[in-house]
Amino acid sequence: MARRSALPSVPDAAVLRARLDRARDTAAGTGLVIAPGSDLRYLIGQPGGSFERLTALVIPADGVPALVVPKLEAPGFEGIAQLGVDIVTWVDGVDPYNLAAERLGGADRVAVSDFTPALHVLGIRDALPKAEQVLAGPIVRELRMRKDTAEIDALRKAGAAIDRVHARVGEWLRPGRTEAEVGADIAAAIVVEGHTEADFVIVGSGPNGASPHHALSDRVIEAGDVVVVDIGGPVAEGYNSDSTRTYAVGTPRDADVAATYAVLQEAQQAAVDAVRPGATAESIDAAARDVIAAAGFGDYFIHRTGHGIGLDVHEEPYIVAGNALPLEEGMAFSVEPGIYQAGRWGARIEDIVVVTADGVESMNNQPHELVVLT
């Protein structure tokens, strides 16, 4: 029986109330203004939408949080009253920025969510001209980087769903088809296998596989091609999958594929094995990079080893040189080294992992070997 996507899921009210309290505590006297997006969904369970009319969650240093929202959109947020959040509505002709400023109580410092449209950032600044305005990202990421049990369960669900798609790639990937045709079949399967949508589909065949963010093209897949398939999307809870496997359409035409791929497989496993509480983000990057560099392919590994994942596909923590952040239980991120030989072929192996109390758990369990399709 085909699996179908579910309706969006909202966390328990007690979980959301605790997140709001933690946000206020972490802000430590700074007022917060959170516009629609993943930060808003994390805090109140609903992402909202960003338009020319201001919608924003306002969390004062002291006092009751409020959602400032156009009256015509307020019915979509009625459920947040159980979170202890006031709904402050406004109609066209009323200045919503002054309403937000009033709820902030003349704050000296206001943190605005990172992806708030400039239209609203400047409006808030004008309403509180004496307040220092900073990014809320450093505050909210302290909450979002450490996933709770429900979030990890959602990531497991997403990982299992994308594993089911990778297990079916052989149904569609064959000579004579274009990357776009294969990608369309994969996108449909992403939804059938349990996601609400396909967020991205990369099918990089032959020389296109040497471009890490290649998407889809009309290139016709040929026998002997090495093909990078990087796919993902959100499940009903809003948490994302992101997994890459590399395939060969028949026997690879290039004689060096097997040996080079073996280096990549060793590097990816070394990085996963290095994950544990207390290890730094940069040490995980180094674990993969050192293997690849020692084999002479250092110049062909052209991106960081990983990125955090959750309500966003890319979020903190970033697994990259220079990031000395110690890993903690509950942090979730990708481990995805790659080797890219321009004009020839590329390969990448990617799993999502979560730091456990004594090590690591992978959300993806498809084999890491080069998948040769016959």
Side-chain angles (χ1 to χ4, degrees):
M1 180 181 293
R3 303 173 181 86
R4 299 191 181 277
S5 61
L7 293 173
S9 175
V10 178
D12 182 79
V15 170
L16 295 173
R17 286 194 296 269
R19 290 178 182 176
L20 288 165
D21 289 342
R22 286 170 54 215
R24 188 201 303 276
D25 293 343
T26 304
T30 297
L32 291 171
V33 177
I34 308 297
S38 58
D39 284 344
L40 189 67
R41 182 167 187 172
Y42 179 81
L43 291 169
I44 67 170
Q46 300 181 55
S50 180
F51 306 101
E52 75 275 14
R53 296 181 175 97
L54 176 70
T55 294
L57 174 67
V58 177
I59 305 177
D62 294 300
V64 179
L67 185 75
V68 177
V69 60
K71 192 169 186 177
L72 76 168
E73 294 173 17
F77 293 95
E78 288 176 348
I80 70 168
Q82 63 181 318
L83 308 181
V85 176
D86 291 342
I87 297 181
V88 177
T89 62
W90 61 280
V91 296
D92 292 340
V94 172
D95 187 336
Y97 307 109
N98 284 333
L99 295 177
E102 289 171 6
R103 298 299 302 214
L104 287 166
D108 295 326
R109 194 167 188 263
V110 177
V112 181
S113 53
D114 290 13
F115 299 105
T116 305
L119 170 70
H120 301 320
V121 172
L122 297 179
I124 293 165
R125 185 192 65 183
D126 291 343
L128 289 167
K130 296 182 180 179
E132 178 189 7
Q133 197 172 87
V134 298
L135 291 174
I139 296 169
V140 180
R141 74 183 179 212
E142 288 300 310
L143 283 63
R144 290 181 55 180
M145 271 199 301
R146 300 161 185 83
K147 271 57 179 180
D148 62 27
T149 300
E151 292 177 287
I152 294 170
D153 285 344
L155 287 170
R156 285 195 193 100
K157 175 181 175 180
I162 210 66
D163 279 356
R164 292 194 293 268
V165 180
H166 271 297
R168 298 181 58 192
V169 166
E171 297 177 26
W172 314 298
L173 183 58
R174 56 183 179 270
R177 305 196 76 204
T178 67
E179 293 173 352
E181 289 169 338
V182 174
D185 288 334
I186 291 174
I190 287 172
V191 175
V192 168
E193 295 294 347
H195 298 79
T196 59
E197 63 179 326
D199 188 62
F200 58 92
V201 176
I202 292 173
V203 179
S205 64
N208 289 340
S211 175
H213 281 175
H214 174 79
L216 302 168
S217 77
D218 290 330
R219 183 182 184 275
V220 177
I221 294 163
E222 302 173 1
D225 277 350
V226 174
V227 184
V228 177
V229 177
D230 183 354
I231 52 179
V235 292
E237 292 81 359
Y239 289 78
N240 286 277
S241 64
D242 185 1
S243 179
T244 308
R245 292 295 185 265
T246 301
Y247 300 81
V249 183
T251 302
R253 73 171 64 86
D254 294 297
D256 62 339
V257 169
T260 304
Y261 189 85
V263 171
L264 178 63
Q265 192 172 344
E266 180 185 352
Q268 202 269 350
Q269 190 61 55
V272 172
D273 290 345
V275 177
R276 63 185 184 280
T280 61
E282 64 184 355
S283 73
I284 309 307
D285 180 84
R289 200 167 301 278
D290 288 351
V291 172
I292 292 173
F297 296 106
D299 290 342
Y300 302 101
F301 181 12
I302 57 176
H303 55 72
R304 64 197 173 205
T305 293
H307 56 81
I309 191 167
L311 290 171
D312 290 317
V313 178
H314 286 192
E315 59 182 55
E316 299 279 355
Y318 292 103
I319 309 304
V320 64
N323 186 1
L325 176 76
L327 300 180
E328 298 180 29
E329 183 178 359
M331 290 184 176
F333 50 86
S334 67
V335 178
E336 51 174 309
I339 296 175
Y340 309 97
Q341 302 188 63
R344 299 185 64 222
W345 60 278
R348 181 165 64 256
I349 303 169
E350 177 183 16
D351 293 325
I352 300 303
V353 301
V354 175
V355 183
T356 64
D358 56 1
V360 62
E361 177 186 352
S362 178
M363 304 292 101
N364 299 107
N365 294 290
Q366 280 294 102
H368 291 167
E369 290 74 21
L370 180 69
V371 181
V372 179
L373 303 173
T374 57

